Amino acid sequence: MNIVLLGAPGAGKGTQAQKLVADYGVAHISTGDLLRAAVKAESKLGKEAKGYMDAGQLVPDQLVIDLVKERLQADDAKKGFILDGFPRNTQQAVVLGSELEDMGIELDAALLVDVASDVIIKRLSSRRTCKACGYTAPAGVDVCPRCGGEMYQRDDDKPETIAKRLDTYEKQTAPLVEYYSGNNILKKVDGDRPVDEVYADVKELLGL
Ligand code: AMP
């Protein structure tokens, strides 16, 4: 299973990815998680990426592309992978296509988790994330139900940045729906339903 997850921030891509990883043992490649880890570690990449992330903008393509290329070579990705948050624009999609071609790998699907923008705004503003494992839950959950870690509000889930991130999504990432539809691998699931209902449809769409 080699898939790309598409959808606005807060659509539930990470949640669906985590379920697929738990059930099928594929690698979860989340560029947002990788970048947040780099910021936390105060690495050169993290220092370069932080300003863009805080502003709700995309980090420059080359930084993210290098990160993904490296991650795709890792052993756990040999069983399959779920790309979550990458590609984020057409340039990244083109580079991914040629990288996978070089590796002799085909994408099985680009799965769009579709959620209306008013629902997204509500979800993101009340979203809390586990500091330790990245698990997400609505506000009010203070201890991570998965690992017991501390839940916090991501800086970019604060109202002033949410609007900017959604604008970035509409302008740069939404065109990928058409891009993958042209490749005949686009699948779409209604993400505005309970997690398990969405997941049942995801599995059916992916033929699992
Ligand atoms: P996410 O957790 O996917 O919402 O990503 C958080 C932030 O990381 C985004 O708002 C961007 O600043 C940055 N980011 C994540 N993935 C990418 C990507 N593929 N290209 C550029 N920037 C990215």
Side-chain angles (χ1 to χ4, degrees):
M1 177 199 319
N2 301 314
I3 65 171
V4 160
L5 284 177
L6 296 174
K13 302 185 297 294
T15 303
Q16 295 300 321
Q18 282 166 359
K19 291 182 87 63
L20 288 167
V21 169
D23 287 350
Y24 301 97
V26 287
H28 180 196
I29 306 181
S30 158
T31 43
D33 285 352
L34 292 170
L35 289 167
R36 276 184 290 281
V39 170
K40 198 170 161 194
E42 298 183 1
S43 66
K44 185 168 173 277
L45 167 67
K47 284 181 186 152
E48 276 185 77
K50 188 174 186 319
Y52 298 97
M53 295 170 78
D54 287 348
Q57 292 169 0
L58 295 185
V59 169
D61 287 340
Q62 203 50 52
L63 299 180
V64 187
I65 287 168
D66 289 346
L67 205 60
V68 171
K69 277 189 184 172
E70 195 187 314
R71 191 63 189 79
L72 282 171
Q73 309 289 341
D75 270 357
D76 66 337
K78 301 215 159 45
K79 270 173 111 182
F81 56 79
I82 299 168
L83 279 167
D84 168 8
F86 183 93
R88 226 37 176 245
N89 59 28
T90 310
Q91 167 66 12
Q92 292 180 10
V94 170
V95 173
L96 175 67
S98 65
E99 180 67 15
L100 292 179
E101 201 179 324
D102 289 350
M103 293 172 74
I105 293 174
E106 269 190 36
L107 275 183
D108 301 313
L111 178 70
L112 170 65
V113 184
D114 195 30
V115 178
S117 51
D118 54 331
V119 178
I120 289 286
I121 292 170
K122 278 192 211 132
R123 275 196 196 176
L124 286 178
S125 21
S126 79
R127 179 166 78 172
R128 298 295 179 267
T129 303
C130 174
K131 273 190 179 167
C133 75
Y135 185 87
T136 55
V141 179
D142 298 326
V143 176
C144 175
R146 192 165 68 177
C147 77
E150 185 191 340
M151 304 294 282
Y152 79 115
Q153 183 174 38
R154 276 170 48 177
D155 281 346
D156 60 353
D157 281 346
K158 297 194 171 139
E160 52 285 13
T161 317
I162 290 174
K164 181 64 196 150
R165 287 168 73 203
L166 289 178
D167 186 55
T168 304
Y169 174 77
E170 284 307 325
K171 292 195 175 123
Q172 302 200 48
T173 312
L176 292 182
V177 172
E178 206 160 313
Y179 178 89
Y180 284 115
S181 159
N183 286 0
N184 284 324
I185 56 165
L186 185 78
K187 317 237 180 238
K188 180 168 148 180
V189 67
D190 173 3
D192 190 9
R193 291 174 303 150
V195 170
D196 288 335
E197 274 181 38
V198 177
Y199 187 52
D201 278 7
V202 164
K203 286 199 289 189
E204 196 180 322
L205 283 166
L206 297 176
L208 298 170

